[in-house]
Amino acid sequence: MITGKYPSLRLRRSRKYAWSRRLVQENSLSYSDLILPIFLIEGKNKKESIKSMPNIFRYSIDKLSSVVGKAIKKGIPMVALFPYTNTKKKDEYGSEALNPDNLICRGIKFIKKKYKNKIGIMCDVALDPYTSHGHDGLLKKGNILNDETLDILTKQAVLQAKMGCDVIAPSDMMDGRIGKIRKALDKNNLNDVQILSYAVKFSSSFYGPFRDAVGSKKLLKGDKKTYQMDFRNSDESLREVSLDVKEGTDMIMVKPGMPYLDIIKKVKDKFKIPVLAYQVSGEYSLIMSGINKKILDKASIKETLISFKRAGASSIVTYFADQIDL
Ligand code: PBG
């Protein structure tokens, strides 16, 4: 592939001026590439800070306009909603997930009523914000039940879609959920609702601040290693993706982000399907602490986001989405 040699070939030539660097740049970043996660909380007129995530807040529904309106103005195509559920409402089955009047359902309705289809809404399908044990599925004698959990997740997905959710995002890592959810959506005339499968979700230490944000951290019994992937594995991610592609997913999420750029590339090369990256809460907090301590420059944020594009991601879920200037 080398087309010449020094001294006639000098790669620095094209780097000399800003215009020239722009001319040959291989990747770019715009607001269209970003998805903004938003945490919801009960109450009125609340914008509550989250200790482990500087500059990130939990919003009561009546305060959602401030953050969603800003996202629309910037051209961010989609928000991802996550609920902070009162401990009182949590039980071992995660029943609140199926309450048509839960925070997520009210959040979806509020945004759709006010903004119509000016912005997409994506919602997690998983039980962890609702269970008293903090797991994504049903827990019985120390085991997370797969097939029993599927029934609830399918109902949760259909409920969210009926409320107006555009993109159903199962992040639970149960086997077989994509096929079941697709079937149930279609049966309910929700054929146009998309599925974004968190097909490759690693059991990671980088989710800590998020669990704090949704209030599941202190409750979590044990770890999620029996359902989320072992981060030592790479080929296994292709097996996960191939199953979900066959079951009908529209897009694939790789999560966490930066430590898994190799996986994004591998999935993209192999499946030619939209691959999204999730720059998770631990990554966010890590970068933020560097910036707050002035060890890192603000430009470091863009550098991390471009790395996802370079690896092949179509877009990136990031808590920086509405904080950076592009
Ligand atoms: C729950 C869920 C998690 C995240 C998104 N959905 C945490 C977990 O699996 O424990 C993490 C997001 C982040 O850390 O930013 N299914």
Side-chain angles (χ1 to χ4, degrees):
M1 276 287 279
I2 300 170
T3 51
K5 64 175 199 231
Y6 172 85
S8 53
L9 178 64
R10 292 173 185 268
L11 291 181
R12 287 186 57 192
R13 226 175 261 144
S14 58
R15 293 179 203 142
K16 186 161 182 180
Y17 300 109
W19 62 260
S20 177
R21 292 192 291 274
R22 276 196 285 132
L23 215 53
V24 298
Q25 80 180 22
E26 297 174 39
N27 291 284
S28 61
L29 185 70
S30 79
Y31 288 114
S32 301
D33 299 316
L34 307 178
I35 297 165
L36 175 70
I38 301 175
F39 296 107
L40 304 178
I41 191 162
E42 294 287 354
K44 285 218 160 69
N45 201 24
K46 276 199 186 156
K47 183 181 173 185
E48 191 176 275
S49 50
I50 301 165
K51 233 206 217 140
S52 52
M53 299 183 75
N55 286 0
I56 303 296
F57 303 89
R58 300 182 191 104
Y59 297 86
S60 58
I61 297 202
D62 59 334
K63 289 284 262 185
L64 266 180
S65 307
S66 59
V67 57
V68 177
K70 186 177 161 199
I72 292 174
K73 228 178 248 158
K74 286 192 179 253
I76 292 171
M78 183 156 77
V79 290
L81 302 182
F82 297 100
Y84 176 93
T85 310
N86 287 341
T87 321
K88 279 186 297 193
K89 291 192 174 167
K90 297 187 182 188
D91 61 23
E92 59 177 313
Y93 310 108
S95 318
E96 180 65 7
L98 303 185
N99 174 4
D101 203 33
N102 70 20
L103 260 179
I104 287 291
C105 293
R106 277 181 282 138
I108 299 171
K109 282 199 282 189
F110 176 89
I111 296 171
K112 279 295 156 187
K113 189 164 176 219
K114 177 145 191 186
Y115 299 106
K116 309 281 181 301
N117 287 318
K118 285 200 184 122
I119 193 157
I121 303 177
M122 104 181 209
C123 296
D124 247 38
V125 172
L127 300 181
D128 57 310
Y130 309 104
T131 49
S132 46
H133 43 73
H135 279 288
D136 296 36
L138 297 176
L139 177 68
K140 198 172 177 185
K141 291 185 191 152
N143 290 319
I144 301 298
L145 306 177
N146 195 87
D147 298 5
E148 294 80 348
T149 299
L150 291 187
D151 292 334
I152 305 180
L153 295 179
T154 306
K155 288 186 187 137
Q156 184 187 19
V158 170
L159 175 65
Q160 290 173 348
K162 278 187 177 162
M163 294 291 159
C165 174
D166 302 288
V167 176
I168 295 292
S171 74
D172 54 287
M173 287 299 280
M174 297 300 117
D175 285 326
R177 81 260 212 244
I178 300 302
K180 282 227 167 188
I181 290 173
R182 182 72 270 163
K183 242 193 203 151
L185 290 173
D186 291 352
K187 213 172 130 194
N188 282 278
N189 284 329
L190 298 159
N191 326 53
D192 285 342
V193 173
Q194 302 182 46
I195 297 181
L196 161 57
S197 171
Y198 286 81
V200 190
K201 179 167 176 180
F202 289 95
S203 179
S204 167
S205 298
F206 285 92
Y207 304 146
F210 173 94
R211 290 179 188 166
D212 179 30
V214 300
S216 69
K217 191 170 182 152
K218 290 196 194 103
L219 299 176
L220 182 61
K221 287 208 175 87
D223 56 48
K224 300 190 176 184
K225 288 183 184 163
T226 67
Y227 47 109
Q228 299 181 346
M229 271 184 57
D230 184 339
F231 55 76
R232 294 161 189 84
N233 297 353
S234 165
D235 286 346
E236 190 187 358
S237 57
L238 298 181
R239 300 182 79 195
E240 282 285 0
V241 173
S242 75
L243 284 169
D244 289 1
V245 167
K246 271 189 215 126
E247 290 176 32
T249 193
D250 299 286
M251 298 174 276
I252 294 291
M253 181 77 83
V254 174
K255 176 180 175 188
M258 272 224 295
Y260 300 94
L261 294 174
D262 57 323
I263 307 288
I264 296 172
K265 173 134 184 63
K266 216 166 167 172
V267 172
K268 184 70 195 176
D269 285 351
K270 181 103 185 158
F271 292 94
K272 314 288 180 206
I273 185 175
V275 179
L276 278 64
Y278 200 137
Q279 185 176 51
V280 301
S281 56
E283 299 175 69
Y284 172 83
S285 299
L286 202 61
I287 296 165
M288 262 317 219
S289 77
I291 289 172
N292 288 347
K293 289 183 193 133
K294 301 202 160 45
I295 299 166
L296 287 178
D297 217 85
K298 260 194 147 178
S300 60
I301 299 169
K302 280 188 213 169
E303 193 174 327
T304 65
L305 297 173
I306 286 275
S307 77
F308 296 116
K309 296 291 299 289
R310 220 174 45 235
S314 303
S315 45
I316 306 131
V317 183
T318 174
Y319 300 94
F320 289 117
D322 63 346
Q323 296 187 56
I324 50 170
D325 293 313
L326 295 176

